[in-house]
Amino acid sequence: MKIKQFLQFLTQQLTNWRRQYKGLRRKGKLMRSPKSKTHRRELLRTVLKNIILFLSKTNDKSERRKQERALQSKTKSVKTKSTIYGVALDWVHEQRSLVILAIALVSLTGVIGHKLYNQTQIQIGNPAPQTITAPYTASIEDQKKTESQRQAVSETSLQVLMINARMNEQINENLQKLLDDGNEIRAVAGAFPFFDPVVLSISTQRYLRSCPDLEWQALLIAVENTKNQHKKGTRRTTASSAPNQPLTPQKTKPVDFSQNTDFTQAVAELESYRVTSEKNLSLVISQIYQTRQRYTQATAKLLQLETVTPEAVYEESVLLDLSDEEWEKTQMGIHQSAERILTQGIPQGLPKNILQDAVSLQLQFFVPESAESLAKKLLLAVLKPNLQKDEEQTRENAQKAAAGVSPVMVKVRYGQVIVRKGVQITAWNFKVLEHYHLVRREVKWQELVKLAGVIAIAIGIFVWVERHVDYELRQRDRLLVLLLTLSVPGLVTMGLPYTTWSALGLLLGSFYGPILGLTVVGLLLPILAISLDISKAALLAGVGGGILGSYIAQRLRSREELALLGVAIALTQGGIYLVVKILIGQAFGSTWYLVLREAGLFALSGLGWSIVALGLSPYLEKVFDLVTPIRLAELANPNRPLLKRLATETPGTFQHTLLVATLAEAAAKELGCNVELVRAGTLYHDIGKMHDPLGFIENQMGGPNKHDTEIKDPWKSAEIIKKHVTEGLVMARKHLLPTAIQAFIPEHQGTMLIAYFHHQAQQMAQEDPSLTVDDADFRYDGPIPQSRETGIVMLADSCEAALRSLEASAKPLGEKRSLKDVSTEQALAMLNNILRAKWQDNQLVDSGLTREEMSKIAQIFVDVWQQFHHKRIAYPKLKASNTARNS
């Protein structure tokens, strides 16, 4: 029995020593300070002193009972597991940190050292250790020859061509432009034939329009002479043409054009028409003159077009010699011929004479014979190859042709020498050896052990850094860090250079702060550099993006800012890759465009992985129960359903919560705690009061207190008050609040005594001896605050109510109150008493808050209270008449 009591006492003392150790560790006095040895000696002396005191006071039964009751209230029941399975699970649970570290070592070594598992003793290029012969006859495919034959067949397979519609459109546009130029020139020349072909033949009209001026003058003289001979008169007359062109020829040296058939025919046709009408001949000559002028203008425009256009398709007079009907047929025939030729397709490298023959053949059926030469020039000027290679279909044909080639098999007979000792092993020798399973693959254990040692050192550095940062990692946090870390070498082993550096840095920095994020990125860099075949430029670019994300992510307070950080990471990765390539000289020369392309891809990969990280962040926060500044800001939004209910159903509690949050935020900021966590946790710390709003005085709005009018039982009242903690936890779990936020609900009350109802119960017990008052009935179930943040909220919650009561007691109800009624010294003294009581009640022993910080917290609370209740200007009282008149 004595041994059992001793063990119980020792368990209690170990719990107290653990708390002391935790407090010293938070202060930084253990394992870091030069005075750590002194603290350890003091701790050892305390242990021995307590053991001696226990052994010397074993007969004190009352003392033992107190110790047993304290032990029962602070220890948890443990079920004994007798099976080996249960013992193993208990050991794994107790040593879960070591298990996670072991998993990290094995997984990282396994992923990064994947190439060391299946290495061969015999390698290509090395001398054979011994003469190796074939153990049995086999046919082995010579892949090199097979691939060579398939490549040859693939290259000689027919290409599949396809019509380039865009080229067809361009050809038609160029053709139409040339025809439009021809139409414009013919419009200047005027209609043709310009006179009735029955009177003047088309050939005569063509001659009269285009003959030289000298022939035209001679023609006029010939017509005039013929007229005089027919009249046989003595009077010389002049043949008048149009008002602008007299028939009298100019005085020039006469030239004989009688040998010119066109000239003679024109004179004869004009003379025949004059026989019909003398007057109409003058009009015809005038019309011919005007047509000749227009023809001259058209010819000049045609010459101008020839100097501008590189290919002079209208260099001959064929364009103007064609009649309007022939020109229309020519245009239509050109379009039809072009359409048929383009439909058939013009391949690249087609000989010019073949294209000319094809054009001539097509034009024979669609164009007048007189316009064939012109139409041929027009088409040859615009026609270009319009067939392009159909890459997909050609590739499919090549693959089908290559697939039809049978593998080249080489027969290796039993006992045939594959490779002789000392001879260099070729690719074919290695293939044969591998077929016979003579390659002798093995695991490079020595290299794996070296790699595991390097990774173990890196893990040790990470653990050391983890112990020296403010953020205390849970096992699930270590598991998440491991999974995110594995993503980088995992993608590298898959052959993808655009790894998850940006996502790794952004998520680790956002979840756990810049120190842990930079540590992981910095440790991965040398390990991957010495273990994997990865471009140094790619490695440095990824690390740069990871460092930027780790350093800045936790400073941001919105998803939009994180998105902008993703853009910055993208520019950083692309820029670093480009700079490294420039420094090593690979960005110059013929491959500069490849470097620019890779830099762009690295920038896009940085942005892409940042987007992936932003998308995964809310899910990871939920699954791994994480609180980031952004999530805390979202939880502190007053439009959240739970907070809206709190403001609507318990307005007094909501106002109390806002004031407590203001006090706690100010203290947290001054003490360097997590202000966002304090703000969000305070807003939810009293949500359990919604289960019975009128059970709390701040929601009674001056009405009757149900505890005094209805319940009248301090035990039941204490249960109602205590229930706001349990109900609050139920609500928090129902709304999936993070564990860090849920911790504020029980820890802000700790195991404090509900003093008001405890005092009522004691008074009732004095009046009725049959009643027994158990302090446990009037104490909260705890736990006491386990962090500085929850400890600050506990103090702010108690001090807010005290400051409110202090202000309310400053003056009678209904009168205006001011700070001159309550001095700062009074408020500070009262808060110090409250904080001292909490400290003496051991409510803050696990929080990490020190005794010296209590006074600082009290002063902060008073300063904030003064800012809220500052002195106001006393306005003069208005007379009743003035008041009535103004109203």
Side-chain angles (χ1 to χ4, degrees):
M1 189 68 182
K2 187 175 182 179
I3 295 175
K4 182 179 180 182
Q5 294 174 359
F6 173 73
L7 291 176
Q8 290 176 347
F9 172 76
L10 187 59
T11 302
Q12 179 184 356
Q13 290 301 320
L14 287 174
T15 303
N16 293 330
W17 297 334
R18 181 183 61 82
R19 290 175 178 169
Q20 294 178 21
Y21 175 83
K22 199 172 180 181
L24 290 173
R25 204 177 143 199
R26 282 200 182 97
K27 297 178 193 176
K29 295 180 179 179
L30 197 63
M31 303 298 291
R32 302 182 202 174
S33 173
K35 299 181 180 179
S36 60
K37 292 183 179 180
T38 305
H39 288 287
R40 286 197 290 271
R41 289 195 197 100
E42 292 178 359
L43 195 60
L44 184 59
R45 280 199 298 269
T46 304
V47 172
L48 295 175
K49 182 179 178 181
N50 282 293
I51 293 174
I52 294 170
L53 285 173
F54 173 78
L55 294 175
S56 63
K57 295 182 179 181
T58 53
N59 295 325
D60 191 347
K61 294 183 179 180
S62 62
E63 190 68 25
R64 282 205 308 272
R65 290 195 188 96
K66 285 185 180 180
Q67 292 168 358
E68 288 173 3
R69 284 196 298 268
L71 185 63
Q72 289 173 0
S73 63
K74 294 182 179 181
T75 59
K76 297 180 180 179
S77 61
V78 179
K79 295 182 179 179
T80 305
K81 293 182 177 67
S82 58
T83 62
I84 298 177
Y85 177 73
V87 173
L89 286 180
D90 286 343
W91 183 87
V92 171
H93 180 72
E94 292 173 0
Q95 304 296 330
R96 55 190 181 277
S97 297
L98 294 177
V99 172
I100 293 293
L101 293 178
I103 292 173
L105 178 62
V106 172
S107 59
L108 286 171
T109 305
V111 173
I112 297 176
H114 70 286
K115 290 185 177 180
L116 302 174
Y117 303 147
N118 202 21
Q119 294 292 319
T120 58
Q121 291 181 348
I122 299 175
Q123 295 182 355
I124 298 174
N126 294 341
Q130 62 185 18
T131 300
I132 305 174
T133 59
Y136 55 88
T137 302
S139 294
I140 303 173
E141 180 187 355
D142 190 339
Q143 291 184 346
K144 186 175 181 180
K145 291 183 179 180
T146 302
E147 288 298 324
S148 177
Q149 290 187 10
R150 289 176 177 173
Q151 183 68 24
V153 171
S154 176
E155 291 176 356
T156 56
S157 62
L158 294 177
Q159 292 185 353
V160 179
L161 301 178
M162 61 184 296
I163 299 293
N164 188 340
R166 188 173 180 182
M167 178 59 69
N168 283 0
E169 292 179 2
Q170 183 179 353
I171 291 173
N172 289 325
E173 289 177 1
N174 294 337
L175 178 60
Q176 188 59 47
K177 185 178 182 303
L178 288 178
L179 294 177
D180 291 341
D181 291 339
N183 286 326
E184 185 178 352
I185 294 172
R186 286 181 62 86
V188 174
F192 185 78
F194 57 85
F195 202 72
D196 187 0
V198 176
V199 178
L200 296 176
S201 64
I202 292 179
S203 59
T204 299
Q205 293 186 44
R206 185 180 294 118
Y207 170 75
L208 291 174
R209 186 177 61 165
S210 60
C211 66
D213 287 339
L214 187 60
E215 289 189 36
W216 170 246
Q217 293 295 332
L219 188 145
L220 291 177
I221 294 172
V223 170
E224 180 67 21
N225 292 336
T226 304
K227 174 184 175 183
N228 293 335
Q229 290 175 5
H230 284 134
K231 286 187 176 183
K232 297 180 181 180
T234 58
R235 181 173 55 90
R236 292 189 64 182
T237 61
T238 59
S240 176
S241 63
N244 298 327
Q245 174 64 22
L247 274 177
T248 304
Q250 297 178 0
K251 293 181 180 181
T252 57
K253 184 178 180 179
V255 181
D256 185 13
F257 293 100
S258 60
Q259 301 298 323
N260 189 336
T261 306
D262 293 332
F263 179 85
T264 305
Q265 183 178 350
V267 172
E269 290 183 5
L270 288 173
E271 180 62 28
S272 299
Y273 185 68
R274 189 184 57 176
V275 173
T276 305
S277 175
E278 180 77 27
K279 183 178 181 181
N280 289 338
L281 178 62
S282 299
L283 295 175
V284 169
I285 292 176
S286 176
Q287 187 174 355
I288 293 172
Y289 177 73
Q290 292 177 2
T291 301
R292 284 177 59 80
Q293 285 183 327
R294 299 184 68 174
Y295 183 84
T296 303
Q297 294 175 3
T299 305
K301 190 171 183 64
L302 182 61
L303 293 174
Q304 183 181 1
L305 181 64
E306 291 174 2
T307 57
V308 175
T309 306
E311 298 180 1
V313 295
Y314 295 125
E315 59 184 357
E316 298 179 1
S317 61
V318 179
L319 175 66
L320 298 176
D321 290 344
L322 295 175
S323 66
D324 292 347
E325 183 180 356
E326 289 175 333
W327 175 244
E328 288 297 329
K329 291 181 179 179
T330 300
Q331 292 186 87
M332 186 178 300
I334 289 174
H335 280 299
Q336 291 176 346
S337 301
E339 183 178 358
R340 296 188 65 174
I341 293 173
L342 293 177
T343 301
Q344 294 174 357
I346 305 174
Q348 295 285 346
L350 183 69
K352 190 174 182 181
N353 61 330
I354 295 179
L355 181 61
Q356 291 175 350
D357 293 341
V359 170
S360 300
L361 182 63
Q362 292 292 338
L363 292 175
Q364 289 178 3
F365 302 100
F366 301 108
V367 175
E369 184 178 356
S370 58
E372 284 186 12
S373 60
L374 175 62
K376 184 176 180 180
K377 285 188 175 183
L378 282 169
L379 283 177
L380 292 176
V382 298
L383 287 178
K384 296 178 181 179
N386 68 331
L387 290 178
Q388 64 180 11
K389 184 178 178 182
D390 189 340
E391 298 289 346
E392 183 176 355
Q393 192 64 38
T394 301
R395 183 170 57 253
E396 289 181 2
N397 288 354
Q399 290 174 353
K400 290 179 181 178
V405 176
S406 301
V408 178
M409 305 301 292
V410 177
K411 192 171 185 179
V412 180
R413 299 186 179 277
Y414 168 73
Q416 181 178 340
V417 175
I418 300 174
V419 63
R420 297 188 181 277
K421 182 179 179 179
V423 178
Q424 190 176 20
I425 298 173
T426 63
W428 169 246
N429 297 146
F430 186 84
K431 174 67 178 176
V432 175
L433 292 172
E434 192 173 31
H435 176 81
Y436 286 115
H437 302 288
L438 299 174
V439 176
R440 300 180 185 176
R441 296 186 179 274
E442 64 177 0
V443 178
K444 299 284 187 178
W445 290 108
Q446 187 176 1
E447 299 297 328
L448 275 177
V449 170
K450 290 180 181 178
L451 178 61
V454 174
I455 293 175
I457 294 173
I459 292 175
I461 295 173
F462 174 81
V463 171
W464 184 86
V465 172
E466 176 198 336
R467 291 178 180 271
H468 287 74
V469 296
D470 295 333
Y471 194 95
E472 186 174 354
L473 295 184
R474 303 160 299 175
Q475 306 311 321
R476 67 183 70 183
D477 297 322
R478 295 188 179 98
L479 183 60
L480 177 59
V481 172
L482 174 60
L483 292 176
L484 293 176
T485 305
L486 283 172
S487 66
V488 177
L491 288 180
V492 174
T493 56
M494 294 170 61
L496 185 64
Y498 314 110
T499 51
T500 61
W501 286 104
S502 57
L504 174 69
L506 197 149
L507 290 175
L508 288 181
S510 178
F511 292 161
Y512 306 115
I515 295 178
L516 286 181
L518 292 173
T519 300
V520 173
V521 174
L523 292 174
L524 264 184
L525 172 61
I527 293 175
L528 297 186
I530 63 176
S531 304
L532 297 178
D533 296 331
I534 183 173
S535 167
K536 300 301 183 288
L539 186 61
L540 291 176
V543 169
I547 290 175
L548 181 63
S550 300
Y551 186 71
I552 298 180
Q554 202 173 50
R555 302 183 182 184
L556 307 181
R557 293 296 181 269
S558 68
R559 307 283 181 192
E560 181 181 0
E561 291 177 345
L562 284 177
L564 293 176
L565 176 60
V567 176
I569 289 174
L571 296 176
T572 300
Q573 289 196 178
I576 290 177
Y577 183 87
L578 187 59
V579 169
V580 172
K581 287 295 185 180
I582 290 175
L583 291 178
I584 63 179
Q586 292 185 5
F588 306 102
S590 59
T591 60
W592 62 269
Y593 65 94
L594 295 176
V595 174
L596 286 179
R597 185 189 68 181
E598 284 297 310
L601 290 175
F602 269 99
L604 289 177
S605 71
L607 180 61
W609 284 117
S610 299
I611 294 172
V612 171
L614 288 176
L616 288 176
S617 179
Y619 300 102
L620 294 177
E621 290 171 0
K622 288 280 187 182
V623 172
F624 290 90
D625 192 28
L626 298 168
V627 285
T628 61
I630 293 176
R631 191 180 184 195
L632 290 173
E634 293 171 349
L635 290 172
N637 187 342
N639 290 320
R640 302 283 294 192
L642 209 54
L643 295 182
K644 289 181 74 173
R645 279 188 58 196
L646 184 66
T648 304
E649 299 177 15
T650 57
T653 299
F654 186 69
Q655 291 301 320
H656 157 77
T657 297
L658 294 179
L659 294 174
V660 172
T662 304
L663 295 174
E665 277 186 88
K669 185 176 182 180
E670 189 67 26
L671 298 180
C673 299
N674 191 333
V675 179
E676 290 85 1
L677 179 60
V678 168
R679 172 72 177 177
T682 307
L683 290 177
Y684 290 93
H685 81 287
D686 269 346
I687 57 175
K689 291 182 178 180
M690 287 189 286
H691 86 282
D692 188 3
L694 295 180
F696 302 89
I697 191 169
E698 67 264 20
N699 298 314
Q700 294 170 1
M701 303 299 179
N705 191 337
K706 64 183 293 184
H707 296 284
D708 297 333
T709 59
E710 299 178 14
I711 301 175
K712 298 179 181 180
D713 185 346
W715 282 270
K716 291 184 179 180
S717 297
E719 283 297 322
I720 293 174
I721 299 301
K722 289 169 63 175
K723 199 173 182 181
H724 89 276
V725 172
T726 56
E727 290 293 328
L729 287 174
V730 171
M731 292 181 184
R733 295 188 186 105
K734 182 180 178 181
H735 287 79
L736 302 178
L737 293 182
T739 304
I741 300 296
Q742 295 181 25
F744 284 84
I745 297 174
E747 292 180 20
H748 86 279
Q749 296 292 359
T751 57
M752 289 192 303
L753 187 69
I754 305 174
Y756 181 80
F757 296 112
H758 181 261
H759 179 68
Q760 278 190 354
Q762 286 181 331
Q763 288 181 337
M764 293 175 66
Q766 290 177 0
E767 297 174 0
D768 186 357
S770 64
L771 295 176
T772 303
V773 178
D774 187 357
D775 289 355
D777 295 335
F778 296 91
R779 280 191 180 273
Y780 289 99
D781 297 329
I784 60 176
Q786 300 296 305
S787 66
R788 291 163 63 84
E789 286 79 9
T790 55
I792 289 173
V793 173
M794 168 186 274
L795 300 178
D797 185 64
S798 302
C799 293
E800 189 275 335
L803 290 172
R804 200 156 21 92
S805 63
L806 181 65
E807 183 189 0
S809 62
K811 275 192 174 183
L813 188 63
E815 296 185 16
K816 184 178 286 292
R817 305 175 179 89
S818 65
L819 282 179
K820 67 182 180 179
D821 300 308
V822 181
S823 66
T824 304
E825 290 76 13
Q826 289 176 316
L828 188 59
M830 184 182 66
L831 295 190
N832 279 322
N833 290 334
I834 294 173
L835 300 187
R836 189 181 303 110
K838 294 289 185 294
W839 183 266
Q840 292 174 352
D841 195 24
N842 291 327
Q843 296 296 318
L844 301 171
V845 292
D846 289 347
S847 67
L849 295 173
T850 63
R851 184 68 185 87
E852 293 77 13
E853 290 174 332
M854 296 295 104
S855 301
K856 185 184 293 186
I857 292 173
Q859 184 62 54
I860 294 170
F861 288 169
V862 171
D863 293 341
V864 174
W865 177 65
Q866 284 181 319
Q867 293 171 7
F868 266 90
H869 302 87
H870 55 274
K871 185 177 180 180
R872 299 184 181 276
I873 298 174
Y875 290 96
K877 294 183 179 179
L878 298 177
K879 294 182 180 181
S881 59
N882 291 339
T883 303
R885 187 164 48 250
N886 291 336
S887 62

